[in-house]
């Protein structure tokens, strides 16, 4: 069956960055299952999979505009250290979730100063070209319930 709107698609994938490092992979896990055409996965990957068949292998590089967007330097901010009360040791690279007006946001610690912590609110993959290697494991019709929920079950 072909990948198209309103199909539930299961894929195994490996995701690499420009340096060829593996960022994420479904190897050893259940495949990623999503509802095609519902914006469940990044637009560039969804486009690349459209029209492909179960059993097919797809290699695709997705530019930031069709992945997690470009980096926005204004999302790098210094916050008072008191905001991290209860955290034993704050170190660069640590990630925290923060509730913001636009939903949950992941903040990555960039630098720890005497009384301030510099955090980056960009998605960790913002500004990156993503290289996917995908095997389409299964394509099936979505159920009425899945269509009404907008995701695969
Ligand atoms: Zn549901």
């Amino acid at each position: 069956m072909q990948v198209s709107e309103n199909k539930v698609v299961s894929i195994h994938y490996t995701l690499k960055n420009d340096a060829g490092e593996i960022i994420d992979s479904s190897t050893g896990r259940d495949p990623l299952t999503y509802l095609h055409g519902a914006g469940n996965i990044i637009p560039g990957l969804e486009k690349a999979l459209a029209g492909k068949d179960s059993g097919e292998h797809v290699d695709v590089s997705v530019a930031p505009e069709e992945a997690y967007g470009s980096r926005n330097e204004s999302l790098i901010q210094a916050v008072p250290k008191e905001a991290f009360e209860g955290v034993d040791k704050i170190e660069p690279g640590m990630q925290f979730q923060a509730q913001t007006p636009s939903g949950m946001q992941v903040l990555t610690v960039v630098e720890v100063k005497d009384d301030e912590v510099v955090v980056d609110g960009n998605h960790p993959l913002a500004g990156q070209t993503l290289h996917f290697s995908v095997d389409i494991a299964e394509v099936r019709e979505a159920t009425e319930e899945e269509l009404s929920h907008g995701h695969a079950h």
Side-chain angles (χ1 to χ4, degrees):
M1 188 177 279
Q2 268 193 347
V3 176
S4 60
E5 298 278 309
N6 300 338
K7 297 285 193 297
V8 169
V9 184
S10 296
I11 59 171
H12 273 294
Y13 67 95
T14 296
L15 168 59
K16 291 182 181 174
N17 61 16
D18 270 332
E21 297 159 341
I22 295 175
I23 303 170
D24 191 13
S25 172
S26 65
T27 303
R29 303 200 309 242
D30 286 338
L32 170 73
T33 297
Y34 77 97
L35 176 61
H36 193 86
N40 293 169
I41 61 174
I42 59 169
L45 183 57
E46 194 161 50
K47 268 186 209 168
L49 295 176
K52 299 292 192 294
D53 260 299
S54 50
E56 267 193 81
H57 180 84
V58 180
D59 285 306
V60 59
S61 294
V62 181
E65 300 72 56
E66 293 207 291
Y68 294 98
S70 47
R71 285 183 53 80
N72 177 352
E73 298 310 317
S74 72
L75 293 178
I76 298 175
Q77 290 178 321
V79 297
K81 232 176 189 170
E82 293 86 70
F84 294 87
E85 222 169 274
V87 181
D88 282 343
K89 196 169 193 309
I90 311 165
E91 287 178 322
M94 287 176 82
Q95 294 186 326
F96 296 89
Q97 290 207 327
Q99 186 66 49
T100 72
S102 53
M104 287 302 278
Q105 195 183 19
V106 175
L107 300 176
T108 305
V109 174
V110 180
E111 192 185 350
V112 182
K113 299 180 177 176
D114 285 344
D115 50 5
E116 283 182 336
V117 177
V118 181
V119 294
D120 183 351
N122 285 286
H123 188 283
L125 296 179
Q128 295 203 41
T129 297
L130 304 179
H131 306 276
F132 287 94
S133 178
V134 177
D135 284 297
I136 303 174
E138 193 197 352
V139 182
R140 64 165 171 84
E141 296 288 351
T143 64
E144 288 298 324
E145 195 185 20
E146 287 172 323
L147 291 177
S148 71
H149 287 195
H151 57 233
H153 285 165

